[in-house]
Amino acid sequence: MYTLDNVSKTYKQKQRTVTALRDVTLTIPSGQLVAIQGPTGGGKSTLLQMLGALDRPSSGTISLGDAELSHLPDGKLGRIRATEIGFVFQGFNLIPTLTAQENVETALEPLGIPAAERRQRATAALESVGLGDRAGHVPTELSGGQQQRVAIARALVKEPDVLLADEPTGNLDEQTRDEIMDLLEGLWRDRGLTLVIVTHDSAVAKRAERRLHITGGVVTERG
Amino acid sequence: MFFTYLRRELAGRRRQTAIIAIGMALAIALVMIVNAVSTGVRDAQASVLESVYGVGTDLTVSQDATPPAEGERPDGGRFEFGADDGRTADGSTQLAQSRLTAGMGQSTFDASALDTVQDIDGVAAASATLSLTNVTFSGEMPDFSAAQGTDGAPTAEGGTTGAPPAGGADGAGGSAFDVDSFTVLGLDPAAESVGPLSAVELADGRGLELGDAGQHVAVLDADYATSADLAVGDTIDIAGTSFEIVGTVTSTASDGQSAANVFIPLDVAQSLSGLDGQVTDIYVQAASSDVIPSVQADLEAALPDQTVNTQSDLASTVSGSLGTASTLISNLGLWLSVAVLAAAFLIAILFTIQGVTRRTREFGTLKAIGWSNRRVVGQVAGESLVQGLIGGAAGLVVGLVGIAVVNAIAPTLGSTTATTPQAAGPAGFAGGGFAGGPGAAQAATATEVTLNAPITVEVVAIAIGLAILGGLIAGAIGGWRAARLRPAEALRSVA
């Protein structure tokens, strides 16, 4: 479960101070599917980075379970990311020189899992997203939807508690978007994940249990 | 995963890998070739010096020649014949005279300097030599007594009475003269460990022995003996004195040049040349290479009128194309190597930094999914190191081929060693000037050596070391850049 208490985030841009998050107080129970919407520059991605332990708030506290993410050192944040949080990005962010199988294996590298087990789990993860026959292909040999499936397999192969998706369907056509959302929703249900999706797309947001709106760094609930 | 990722990255970025590897290869090959040629030139210089200074000589003591004052006649440059000299027969007079004088450009000093040298701490051995040139002036001129009147009195017109000159070299009153010279080195027969005799080996007969002091015995350079048609058991005329040839020697130096044509006992050389108690050079062997500077300083303090040279000073006396090659290698070669190496390192660093910048999202993603800084830095450094090693391997091959080409061409380098005992040919005017003549500046030994660029462990180690160093430097800088990437910023920068 995420607990955010008066979380603010400010950036220095040249002479200007930009407030990306303003006193955000929020709780996200485990296993919930949450959609975050809002205009560009409203603070969606910053909030997702706070939830993903990629950045620390300027003030306030943010906890994931028992871990207080605001004050943990980089090494421990990295460990939490490696074990508990999966990421899916709008641009897929696959390593272009590695095959689908190897891309999925990169998520297991920080866990020190033996090579044989790593290969086995990566194969299973690819099969779970319907790409068992594409394991040896590099990203440029895959369609956008297939690349996003590889990214989802990479996020889930380590069996995290949380899956954070930043515009996961932003680069996909409608049909592929629905396929990816079906996949994410199915995995969410099957695995009991906490799934947080940042999206511009209302069709995607409507599939969430809970919808948050963020503008000017202020988070509000939407019905 | 490390090696899989590394292999895929290098294979996937072939162009960058090739450019870095080629740059490193060229630089490493150049450094190897310059280093090998430099070693070859050093060996050649050492060989040239060895032939004249002997093996193991660390320092030499000599005295600079002072040019004659205006109007002053140089010593030893004149042959004088009395009215009754020579043999007269058939209307011609045969004249011959040998002179043994200090070698051209050589100045003598008191032999007591040897005792001074031997008393200095750090001197392991020392020997003195007297470098001389034997010049024989011989010729045929008409018997002028036959051309003069019966009383030999001049006529009123200033001429002479009687028959016109006859006889001589052409039978019609002409004259012809030959000048023959060879170098003679007087040395202590007991001092073989240091000095010119340490760089020769016996070819025939025997060498000079302790008991030869005061004896008219000579050892000849084998090449000179052959060219002069002399052998062990024959005699050779030195300054009008007949010497028995007891042995011949050949140089152990690669250029095959001995320090002199003829070696005789020092005391005999001093006596015949009229230079009693005088020497031209003292060869000094230091107890160890560490003490050479202190021994040099002590020698210079103890012998202020003499010049003390170390091996490096002596190397600078080697001129000619060998000297030019040495200068080229030590100046142009060195700086070219440094410049190319710096350029190759810079290319590797810039490409690595560019690669890290281009892969910002990639490394941000890896950090986002839990890769540690150390793991990311290790990956970048590993890739750079392997690129360096590929370049090193290619450079090693190119460098070895380059060295092989140099050795196949085997360029011949001429060298002239200044301020050394002479080793002129049998009829030569050693060093280009007549002994003691006005044009004489310095003695010089002209030799030719074949340049051989050796492939040593050091050369191979340099190639491997530079490859690793280049890879590590590029990897360290690239890794540092990668380590500074914060995952949130890395992902935001490409969003």
Side-chain angles (χ1 to χ4, degrees), chain A residues 6 43 46 76 99 101 103 105 112 125 136 152 161 164 169 196 198:
Chain A
N6 281 317
T46 303
K76 289 199 172 171
T99 64
Q101 167 92 20
N103 263 289
E105 283 187 44
I152 292 168
D161 300 324
L164 303 175
T169 58
V196 180
V198 166

Side-chain angles (χ1 to χ4, degrees), chain A residues 11 81 97 102 106 109, chain B residues 1 8-9 371 375 492:
Chain A
Y11 298 104
R81 292 197 300 270
T97 53
E102 290 158 354
T106 59
E109 171 77 7
Chain B
M1 190 78 224
R8 300 260 186 216
E9 280 303 317
W371 280 41
R375 180 67 182 81
R492 191 184 302 127

